Amino acid sequence: MYLSKSFIPILKNNPSEAKIKSHQLMLRVGMIKQASAGIYSWLPLGFKVMKKIETIVRQEQDKIGAQEILMPTIQTSEIWKESGRYDDYGEEMLRIKDRQNREMLYGPTNEEQVTDIFRSSLKSYKSLPQLLYHIQWKFRDEIRPRFGIMRGREFYMKDAYSFDITDEDAFHSYNKFFLSYLRTFKRLSLTAIPMAADTGPIGGNLSHEFIILADTGESKIFTDKRIFDLTSEGTNLEKSSLEQMRKKYEQFYSVTDEKFNKEEFEKMVLEKNRLITKGIEVGHIFYFGDKYSKAMNAAVDLPGGKKDFVKMGSYGIGVSRLVGAIIEAKYDEKNEIMKWPLSVAPYDVAIIPMINKNDSSALEKANNIYSELNKNNIDAIIDDTDENYSSKIKKMNLIGAPYQIVIGKKSEGDLLEFKEVDGESQDLPLNKIIEIITKQKNSN
Ligand code: ATP
Ligand code: MG
């Protein structure tokens, strides 16, 4: 892709309406365009990143045996009346009438819809467990949409639902998602900490929020620092392995403000290990038993001929919010350098030829490098404009491809000036560069 042909509308300066760095950068490099309050169009650069995040989220859901479905954005009010949430949900729900005057709504979440699918399809314990997920737009008429796509009204979410017969089986399903979340955020190169959370309008009694640290986050958190050193490595999908993993995390105090208790915190966490800070919620998992299955009569036949309501959990990841969360975690605001994790970068490499009007050799060289990278599945963007060196570098630093190849006067022979976007340059031959990037790509 040539920069001159791309649809990347870059602004010279930071837009004044944006209060936090992710919102600033996303507007500055034209990743999104506001359509109305809390509602955005995704332009090529932003959409590319979001699709890559979505792919990683999907792969990690598939790995724990969850099956993908796609439920509609518009739902009938009837199922929400059955669960009792049509009234409970309040003003965040966008209510619509169709031409027959039927009450419809734009789904803020899908517990009712998925319970309806389940109850009409599966009747026996033999079909359990079931883990279903979809990745779909949601709408919540947030009172204060802000920070761009971080708190939008329309947003893209992965939501999964588990169905089991016993609490014990249901906890096993819960733990699978717990693991898949740790793995997902790690692949996005984020440290997301599971925190005991309130269940809110979803209801139920077991819940964790996954939070990444950021000063601009809206969640206040209280943790034992040592939780940051834990990893999910070595955990497999066996029941006992998953239980051990969750215990390992739960041994450290780690809560958001809704669950915070000062006495408990001071008793359980030594002063030197206490961390009180702010974070961004990127995922949230709940166990709520038969709350919906009972209200909506979703029961299965048990071995002895009896019937029982299925035990359910739900598991959300904010796919669109993650785009902003990664920027909050990775953008060096002071030096105006964005470094996307290679796993979600809009481009792997920026090729920056210094183009001289009377000499097309730098551009030719860039084209050759581009096609060589392309053959090796490395996605590059060429800055083919005739701007000066520093403004080219500035632009590419904002776009945030993790690697840069500069083709200047110095680039004689086979050696190329290669650098990480935030690093020092070194002279390397193209095959070595391809090797470095490929190795890095495969490690994810
Ligand atoms: P929050 O506390 O941030 O309002 P929530 O608890 O209402 O979120 P959930 O119902 O748990 O959200 O939704 C699952 C995930 O969807 C959240 O963890 C978050 O990442 C994302 N999400 C929720 N609301 C929004 C929003 N308005 N804009 C963007 N992403 C959102
Ligand atoms: Mg939540």
Side-chain angles (χ1 to χ4, degrees), residues 140 198 209 281 283-284 286:
R140 294 182 188 173
D198 247 8
E209 285 179 3
E281 177 191 327
H284 197 165
F286 303 88

Side-chain angles (χ1 to χ4, degrees), residues 350-354 381 383 389 392-393 396 404-408:
I351 305 172
I352 308 170
M354 294 322 302
I381 181 165
D383 185 348
Y389 176 80
K392 281 185 162 188
I393 292 285
M396 284 306 177
Q404 298 180 340
I405 296 172
V406 182
I407 305 168

Side-chain angles (χ1 to χ4, degrees), residues 89 92 108-109 140 142 145 148-158 198 201-202 209-210 218-219 258 280-286 315-322:
Y89 218 93
E92 273 191 19
T109 178
R140 294 182 188 173
E142 301 272 359
I149 49 75
M150 293 288 250
R151 181 165 301 282
R153 293 199 295 163
E154 189 183 49
F155 60 98
Y156 203 42
M157 195 212 281
K158 184 284 299 178
D198 247 8
I202 303 251
E209 285 179 3
F210 288 75
E218 295 186 280
S219 312
E258 294 142 5
I280 300 166
E281 177 191 327
V282 286
H284 197 165
I285 61 180
F286 303 88
Y315 314 88
I317 290 185
V319 176
S320 50
R321 178 180 286 182
L322 272 167

